[in-house]
Amino acid sequence: MKVKRPVTTTCWKVDSTRPDPEIISGAGLILCRGGLVAFPTETVYGLGANAMNADAVRKIFAAKGRPVDNPLIVHLATSQQVETVARLIMPYARDLMKAFWPGPLTLVLPGKGVLPREVTAGLDTLAVRVPDHQVARDLIQAAGVPVAAPSANTSGRPSPTTAEHVLADLDGLIDGLLDAGPAGLGVESTVLDATGEIPLILRPGGVTPEQIKSVAGAVKLDSGVNGDNENNTSRPRSPGMKYRHYSPITPLVLVEGEEQQVSAALKKLAWEYGEKGYCVGVLCTKEVASDFNNIPGNSKIIVELGDALDIHNVAFNLYGALRDLDASQADIILAQGIDNRELGLAVMNRLRRAAEKIVVV
Ligand code: TXA
Ligand code: MG
């Protein structure tokens, strides 16, 4: 289906630490008046709208093709502003804010009911965070309102880590884009349900379970975190988790398990697909990339995620690599599972949710 491209998207290049105040105030005004502006954060690029304006928020869903029952994260310029939108904040949630805001932690809190239902998809909770990016915070400050912002991608596509990714999906569908170079982490914030006695991770992300536990004393993982929500008929706690996400259009097979066995199984699968005449795309760490040098067939595409021990680099490269493989000739993507610890939990969560098939070895 051809998507209508009704608006001209203005792209402003800005410095990531000292953005031009005139550009920021112009973009803030567009947001305040109900327009859509994409902006960098320390995780991925977000697509912002005035969170107090239902019409503006509806435009986000239209531009992304996002299901309306999937609520948005409200972005604030400072931690103090949380009182204006949240009704009740547990002591441990306050400790987490002190420790990790600004930063890649989204807290789900009881709402005050001041936001239009489009933002929260009718839930009585709301998701809120203070991004750790100068451009994001200056923009929210300039807009003078809380800013609702999902990742700035077409729904179901990998989140954008560069301005080019945003334009590839949303050029002509949004009013503006602040380009401050690549986003920091490369994976999204951790979404943490902070409404109960013990905090519950709904989506792993930039702040790890270990970090949360060290401040809150305890933490639980929602059963959907390891990708087993798909066939679950019960209502997921985080509505976004029920959709197949971050998915390349090319089918992706994820191989996970013990390190040595994973690389052997990947190589075997690459052989089998190569022999069948497939153009094989492999998504792997630097350490195993050379294993694919002599698989049959000429057409193979190896995209490296970087050094397996540098999990930050792997996370940073993940979405760009998925987009590159998707745009390539590959008929099938074979992805190497990595260590599930720390930021690896977020990477594996995204890979599992992108996968059409998971092979455990
Ligand atoms: O790093 C990030 O979090 C990025 C940047 C732009 O801030 N944003 C982002 O937003 O990833 P989005 O919309 O792609 O993901 C938000 C997730 C969804 O899974 C959604 O279902 C969940 O947060 N969520 C939002 N409000 C919620 C609520 N009240 N209760 C439970 N989950 C909620
Ligand atoms: Mg998203």
Side-chain angles (χ1 to χ4, degrees):
M1 194 180 71
K2 207 165 161 55
V3 186
K4 268 202 292 173
R5 304 273 166 181
V7 297
T8 304
T9 302
T10 310
C11 187
W12 304 277
K13 282 216 186 298
V14 288
D15 189 278
S16 64
T17 51
R18 295 180 58 215
D20 183 335
E22 256 181 61
I23 293 179
I24 295 292
S25 67
L29 196 61
I30 294 176
L31 272 186
C32 179
R33 290 186 177 158
L36 298 185
V37 177
F39 59 95
T41 79
E42 83 285 28
T43 58
V44 299
Y45 272 74
L47 176 59
N50 178 347
M52 308 303 287
N53 178 333
D55 287 337
V57 173
R58 261 184 245 125
K59 287 190 208 164
I60 289 183
F61 289 88
K64 281 181 59 94
R66 180 178 175 108
V68 291
D69 64 350
N70 192 5
L72 306 175
I73 297 173
V74 175
H75 292 64
L76 305 173
T78 67
S79 303
Q80 290 74 32
Q81 291 165 350
V82 72
E83 312 289 346
T84 63
V85 286
R87 182 167 51 81
L88 188 107
I89 304 171
M90 298 276 214
Y92 75 76
R94 288 198 189 274
D95 294 341
L96 290 168
M97 288 174 196
K98 266 195 216 112
F100 300 114
W101 280 4
L105 178 67
T106 294
L107 294 175
V108 173
L109 300 168
K112 256 191 170 167
V114 294
L115 297 163
R117 57 175 291 117
E118 282 77 1
V119 175
T120 56
L123 298 174
D124 53 11
T125 55
L126 90 152
V128 60
R129 83 181 193 96
V130 179
D132 188 14
H133 196 296
Q134 199 62 47
V135 175
R137 274 180 293 142
D138 286 0
L139 176 70
I140 301 164
Q141 197 78 56
V145 287
V147 172
S151 48
N153 52 285
T154 301
S155 202
R157 295 265 291 147
S159 292
T161 52
T162 65
E164 289 72 29
H165 295 163
V166 176
L167 287 177
D169 287 5
L170 299 176
D171 193 10
L173 297 171
I174 62 176
D175 299 293
L177 160 64
L178 289 162
D179 174 2
L185 271 169
V187 290
E188 303 88 341
S189 64
T190 302
V191 178
L192 188 75
D193 182 339
T195 59
E197 288 298 320
I198 296 176
L200 176 70
I201 294 180
L202 303 178
R203 178 181 75 179
V207 175
T208 65
E210 293 82 355
Q211 286 177 299
I212 292 167
K213 194 171 171 205
S214 75
V215 172
V219 67
K220 289 195 289 195
L221 278 188
D222 188 66
S223 61
V225 164
N226 288 320
D228 46 3
N229 238 353
E230 300 303 326
N231 303 316
N232 191 341
T233 46
S234 69
R235 188 177 159 85
R237 302 186 70 126
S238 184
M241 300 302 276
K242 76 179 172 206
Y243 298 104
R244 184 162 169 248
H245 248 207
Y246 321 111
S247 21
I249 297 156
T250 313
L252 184 146
V253 178
L254 171 65
V255 182
E256 60 175 90
E258 201 266 318
E259 208 178 305
Q260 292 287 314
Q261 281 162 8
V262 166
S263 63
L266 263 184
K267 194 174 167 186
K268 182 164 172 277
L269 269 179
W271 262 92
E272 287 168 7
Y273 279 108
E275 275 184 334
K276 279 193 235 161
Y278 279 65
C279 173
V280 180
V282 182
L283 182 65
C284 63
T285 60
K286 200 171 97 201
E287 289 75 10
V288 304
S290 60
D291 288 355
F292 303 94
N293 282 344
N294 45 21
I295 61 166
N298 295 325
S299 48
K300 57 176 183 275
I301 297 151
I302 315 295
V303 175
E304 285 184 28
L305 288 170
D307 189 328
L309 293 176
D310 186 352
I311 183 60
H312 278 271
N313 194 33
V314 170
F316 178 76
N317 289 328
L318 178 69
Y319 286 139
L322 284 174
R323 281 180 181 259
D324 287 350
L325 277 167
D326 223 8
S328 78
Q329 298 295 313
D331 303 309
I332 182 98
I333 301 171
L334 305 177
Q336 173 195 349
I338 58 150
D339 195 335
N340 217 3
R341 273 175 303 177
E342 298 186 350
L343 201 51
L345 181 67
V347 171
M348 284 304 287
N349 169 268
R350 307 309 189 267
L351 281 174
R352 286 179 182 138
R353 293 161 62 67
E356 192 172 280
K357 188 174 161 193
I358 300 177
V359 178
V360 182
V361 291

